[in-house]
Amino acid sequence: MRGHFLTGLFFMCVVLAALKLFTGGGPLARQKTEISFWNGWTGPDGTAMLEVIRHFNEENPDIEVSMQRMAWDTYYNKLMVSAMSGRGPQVFVIHASTLPRMVRAGYLADVSDLFGSSTGLLPSDFESKVLDQVKFGKKMVGVPLDIHPQGLYCNADQLIAAGLKNPDGTPKPPTNRDEFIDAIKKLQKVGANGDHDVWGFSWTFWRNNFMALIPQFHGRYFDDNGNPDLVNPGNVAALAFMGDLMNHLKLTPPAESNAGWTGFRQKKVAMLFEGVYMVGDLQSLTDFKYFGAPVPQIGSQPGTVGDSHCLCIRSDLNGKEREASERFISYLSKHSLAWARAGQVPARISIRNSPEFKQLQVQYAFSKEVPYMIYPPRTPLLFELIQEIDQAVERVLRGEMTPQAALELANSNVEKAIARDKEENKS
Amino acid sequence: MSSIKSQSRHANLFVVPYGMSFLVFIVCPILFAAALAFTQLDLTSREHLHFVGLDNFREALKDPYFIQATKVTCVYAIMIVPAFVVLSFGLALGLQAMTFGRNAVRGLIFLPGMFNVVVASIIWRWFYDGEFGFFNYLLKRVGIMPIHWLGEKTLALPSIVVMSLWWGLGGATIILLAALQQIPTHLYEAAMIDGATSRRLLTNITIPQMRHVLLFIVVTSTIGAFQVFGQTFMMTNGGPDRSTTGLVQLIYDTAFNKYRLGYAAALSWLLFAMILVVIIVQALLLRRSID
């Protein structure tokens, strides 16, 4: 009986060894350094990134990068939990606005040594405000891959039909407040029963639309001492403009409507503010002529909001995995033009200046906003802050509160969240 | 005798895999969550864990978002549970009365429950779309102005209730139909000989005979109502203006967006306590009706 058992065990070992040998477990495969790369690019952008990775794997036979993508909603949850248990991916993407939270948790490696002539990642190839996003003290915790500002999307045919065109016949987007309101009025088509067949403009993602207007009115989120300052006059004016356009001038769909992006795709909305990443959604529409332009200057100065995807490395990585991760990040940064085609503005100035990038109409138009674009505030309590901003904007657009009152309530709630956080992290 | 004992031992072995999984995946997480509720565990904080006593529970009772979510959850339960019980019972009675095509109709009623909640929610989100949705298309065809089903604060929750009824009625209807078929026919025959009307048959025979099953449906649908999440998350993400943010979504946001696991665990226990109170009340009712 015992003899049979040992014989069986021996044959099982032989079969397992053979399987290992013939299914990629050979000496060559063992030499490869495997890198897991997580991100939230589940749309066409993810397909573009897969293509970049395929090229990287071909050009770097000693490294095998595998990408795992999941919806942003769940991405950060999984990343946070996996990082906490020390089982996170080697390389991952973090929004610049989310970095403070991850830095406080201690999950990000210092990648300062990645910036230098040896890797080709020169600090001078990035705007200082972009690089500042990944700088925490003396450490650099990531490499900005791209920038995604909010801009103005326009339906070219509808603008031309409404007479909004240049002398050469090309559509002319509005550039300031008066032109903007005039364009909305000319573009809208109202039926006999008062129904809008076409809206000239629609708010889309209210919070982001509001945050795009904040810098135009010299608004801010925190004062110089780090206390919440949502009730400053700039923020109130920006929010008042949004409310007026919807509720007093009646120039946008009402708050209950969700005409926004879907309406634009269906040619029922002629203009709207959205992120550059949405261009990927339009690229598949063959009978739709659209173009991008900077957000019109509604306030006293140009401005918009944007964010960046930053490439980060797990803090406990070293040896071959660290070296392979750094090589992969450098490669992605160098090849960010391919990534930009999916709907992004490259973070590297040299790539933005390339003739190939200038061919990408929407991306190039939105890239002109980078000099005056601002990032969301740097705070570990970003979710708490944007939750309150969301509510304040919604209350104003629904006509339930004045901008002043809504922002006062939001400010008070953010103050409480910060006080609680300080208490919990006082040591 | 020893053979019976041996068989019993072997039978117990078959219970071990389930027992182990119950222990690992049910009992341990419950105990872990119970411990967590008394701690501060913030994933983004360097001091990951420390004991805070009842602080999380005290904070919850003063948290306006918790109070708001509790109201939303209770309103949802109050709207859906009676409708759920009445409609599923009505459908079961209708099916029982059918002499032709009963199986086909039963299959159709049960079909929506086969969809994953995400799929069902996406379908209904399109039905409800304010500008391009199916319902508004029908309204426009008959000259009625479109309604922003999910955009109006007063309509969003009732709209989700309607979707949930469509999605969940099938299972309860099948259970009630099975129970209806168990009622002895001689009870009806005797009553009819005595001249009982249809209404008397329903109130004096059918409902009393069905009380255990009806209470089971009430209890399970109440628990389900208090745990509503998938529909609200997918269809409105808790909006407009938090009017559809229930307790489970609040717990989800607290745990996985704010990363405050200790506080989220405390909120979970408060939700559990609410459900427990409701179950106890319903259990008392059940016992009284049996007695």
Side-chain angles (χ1 to χ4, degrees):
Chain A
M1 191 65 186
R2 186 179 165 80
H4 285 159
F5 174 74
L6 287 175
T7 310
L9 192 65
F10 171 74
F11 278 110
M12 195 179 288
C13 290
V14 169
V15 170
L16 285 174
L19 279 173
K20 177 82 176 156
L21 195 67
F22 291 111
T23 55
L28 276 175
R30 274 200 299 274
Q31 286 172 4
K32 281 196 171 188
T33 305
E34 292 182 356
I35 298 295
S36 176
F37 174 43
W38 284 17
N39 56 62
W41 298 320
T42 51
D45 48 1
T47 313
M49 182 50 73
L50 278 174
E51 190 60 17
V52 178
I53 290 172
R54 193 177 63 78
H55 286 296
F56 174 82
N57 285 338
E58 279 172 8
E59 292 170 30
N60 295 272
D62 57 328
I63 302 174
E64 181 69 31
V65 175
S66 58
M67 182 168 104
Q68 189 174 344
R69 45 188 176 152
M70 55 202 98
W72 287 114
D73 283 346
T74 50
Y75 169 74
Y76 280 115
N77 308 340
K78 290 190 179 176
L79 186 65
M80 198 62 102
V81 174
S82 65
M84 188 188 177
S85 59
R87 291 180 291 111
Q90 287 89 343
V91 182
F92 45 92
V93 174
I94 302 282
H95 284 91
S97 55
T98 311
L99 282 172
R101 200 157 220 169
M102 297 298 280
V103 168
R104 188 167 84 169
Y107 296 152
L108 307 181
D110 180 2
V111 294
S112 303
D113 52 348
L114 254 174
F115 291 90
S117 52
S118 58
T119 58
L121 281 170
L122 298 172
S124 58
D125 204 11
F126 300 84
E127 273 92 358
S128 57
K129 78 165 130 188
V130 177
L131 223 45
D132 283 350
Q133 293 299 310
V134 294
K135 203 180 283 178
F136 286 80
K138 290 181 180 171
K139 288 182 184 174
M140 307 286 273
V141 298
V143 175
L145 175 66
D146 57 46
I147 307 167
H148 38 267
Q150 284 241 319
L152 178 73
Y153 283 91
C154 301
N155 181 316
D157 287 338
Q158 287 174 336
L159 259 73
I160 290 170
L164 300 165
K165 55 187 176 184
N166 294 305
D168 63 356
T170 54
K172 183 179 182 299
T175 57
N176 57 46
R177 187 183 188 125
D178 291 340
E179 286 180 10
F180 181 55
I181 291 176
D182 179 57
I184 296 174
K185 288 178 179 170
K186 285 180 175 164
L187 285 163
Q188 67 183 2
K189 287 183 183 165
V190 186
N193 58 354
D195 257 4
H196 275 76
D197 297 325
V198 174
W199 286 97
F201 176 79
S202 175
W203 299 117
T204 48
F205 192 171
W206 294 348
R207 180 219 310 154
N208 280 358
N209 294 164
F210 172 56
M211 290 169 82
L213 293 176
I214 281 179
Q216 297 204 2
F217 291 86
H218 301 274
R220 63 181 184 179
Y221 304 92
F222 294 97
D223 65 17
D224 296 337
N225 299 318
N227 299 314
D229 185 26
L230 293 177
V231 206
N232 71 77
N235 294 1
V236 175
L239 193 48
F241 174 76
M242 289 184 72
D244 284 347
L245 206 63
M246 179 179 283
N247 298 323
H248 296 145
L249 299 172
K250 310 277 184 197
L251 290 176
T252 70
E256 302 78 33
S257 165
N258 59 343
W261 185 255
T262 315
F264 183 67
R265 286 176 107 255
Q266 300 196 350
K267 302 176 187 175
K268 293 184 175 180
V269 172
M271 297 188 300
L272 40 67
F273 298 163
E274 252 301 356
V276 66
Y277 38 80
M278 294 304 284
V279 72
D281 187 47
L282 299 176
Q283 285 166 347
S284 58
L285 304 177
T286 50
D287 64 336
F288 188 41
K289 289 183 188 158
Y290 60 88
F291 69 96
V295 171
Q297 187 184 322
I298 310 296
S300 57
Q301 62 180 14
T304 190
V305 69
D307 211 334
S308 286
H309 292 121
C310 301
L311 301 165
C312 301
I313 295 177
R314 211 172 69 201
S315 60
D316 62 343
L317 222 56
N318 47 40
K320 273 187 172 181
E321 284 189 330
R322 169 83 189 215
E323 189 274 326
S325 300
E326 290 186 351
R327 210 189 319 162
F328 174 57
I329 287 178
S330 298
Y331 184 92
L332 289 187
S333 178
K334 280 176 204 158
H335 293 80
S336 53
L337 178 65
W339 170 239
R341 290 195 179 98
Q344 292 290 342
V345 173
R348 291 173 71 150
I349 297 168
S350 58
I351 296 176
R352 294 211 303 271
N353 288 335
S354 68
E356 293 90 340
F357 177 70
K358 290 177 180 173
Q359 297 296 314
L360 307 173
Q361 195 279 327
V362 174
Q363 291 91 324
Y364 181 56
F366 283 28
S367 74
K368 291 174 186 166
E369 299 178 305
V370 172
Y372 52 78
M373 180 202 93
I374 61 155
Y375 282 90
R378 294 182 100 194
T379 168
L381 299 181
L382 186 73
F383 182 83
E384 286 81 348
L385 176 76
I386 61 175
Q387 175 181 271
E388 296 303 330
I389 293 177
D390 269 333
Q391 292 229 71
V393 178
E394 186 164 0
R395 285 169 179 147
V396 170
L397 293 189
R398 289 184 183 281
E400 294 169 358
M401 277 190 178
T402 63
Q404 178 82 20
L407 288 170
E408 274 172 8
L409 180 58
N411 204 67
S412 158
N413 287 340
V414 175
E415 276 173 353
K416 282 179 202 158
I418 289 177
R420 180 203 33 89
D421 186 67
K422 274 186 185 162
E423 176 66 23
E424 288 182 359
N425 293 284
K426 59 187 171 189
S427 57
Chain B
M1 192 64 184
S2 67
S3 168
I4 291 169
K5 275 188 179 173
S6 166
Q7 277 185 359
S8 173
R9 270 201 301 273
H10 285 117
N12 286 339
L13 279 177
F14 285 99
V15 181
V16 169
Y18 176 75
M20 289 298 289
S21 67
F22 183 78
L23 191 71
V24 172
F25 296 112
I26 306 288
V27 177
C28 289
I30 287 174
L31 294 176
F32 185 59
L36 265 189
F38 298 95
T39 65
Q40 177 205 310
L41 174 59
D42 181 347
L43 293 188
T44 66
S45 168
R46 284 178 192 277
E47 325 158 40
H48 279 316
L49 186 69
H50 63 88
F51 181 73
V52 293
L54 290 170
D55 282 2
N56 287 330
F57 294 95
R58 285 194 200 100
E59 184 183 340
L61 297 177
K62 288 187 287 183
D63 183 348
Y65 291 135
F66 174 71
I67 294 163
Q68 158 97 358
T70 305
K71 280 182 194 164
V72 169
T73 306
C74 291
V75 170
Y76 176 82
I78 288 166
M79 282 197 283
I80 198 167
V81 174
F84 190 80
V85 175
V86 170
L87 286 174
S88 56
F89 188 48
L91 284 170
L93 286 173
L95 282 170
Q96 172 78 340
M98 285 177 76
T99 53
F100 177 73
R102 180 198 293 176
N103 287 343
V105 176
R106 187 168 52 181
L108 283 174
I109 291 170
F110 193 69
L111 191 64
M114 303 290 283
F115 289 112
N116 179 279
V117 67
V118 175
V119 177
S121 301
I122 289 171
I123 293 170
W124 277 75
R125 199 169 60 192
W126 174 71
F127 282 172
Y128 281 138
D129 191 288
E131 302 293 322
F132 320 107
F134 177 65
F135 293 146
N136 280 341
Y137 167 77
L138 295 177
L139 290 179
K140 281 180 192 171
R141 295 274 296 193
V142 295
I144 299 174
M145 289 287 280
I147 295 168
H148 297 291
W149 303 100
L150 299 176
E152 296 265 7
K153 276 168 73 172
T154 49
L155 281 178
L157 200 59
S159 301
I160 291 172
V161 167
V162 172
M163 174 268 165
S164 303
L165 286 171
W166 171 84
W167 182 58
L169 273 179
T173 304
I174 300 300
I175 292 171
L176 288 170
L177 180 63
L180 273 176
Q181 290 169 342
Q182 298 299 313
I183 299 174
T185 51
H186 68 259
L187 295 177
Y188 292 106
E189 288 163 2
M192 281 190 287
I193 290 168
D194 291 342
T197 61
S198 301
R199 191 177 166 189
R200 296 277 294 197
L201 292 178
L202 179 69
T203 53
N204 288 27
I205 297 176
T206 309
I207 292 178
Q209 289 289 317
M210 297 275 288
R211 62 185 186 275
H212 295 169
V213 182
L214 281 170
L215 278 163
F216 169 77
I217 298 293
V218 170
V219 169
T220 51
S221 61
T222 306
I223 293 171
F226 271 86
Q227 293 177 336
V228 63
F229 173 63
Q231 302 93 306
T232 55
F233 186 71
M234 289 304 300
M235 291 170 72
T236 59
N237 197 19
D241 198 12
R242 302 186 76 88
S243 60
T244 59
T245 302
L247 279 166
V248 177
Q249 185 162 355
L250 180 75
I251 292 165
Y252 172 83
D253 275 344
T254 306
F256 298 115
N257 283 320
K258 297 181 179 174
Y259 304 114
R260 299 183 64 203
L261 297 192
Y263 185 51
L267 295 181
S268 305
W269 278 98
L270 287 172
L271 173 61
F272 171 72
M274 285 181 217
I275 295 175
L276 192 66
V277 168
V278 174
I279 289 172
I280 288 171
V281 169
Q282 289 170 339
L284 289 173
L285 285 173
L286 173 67
R287 187 172 296 168
R288 192 176 298 168
S289 69
I290 290 169
D291 294 343

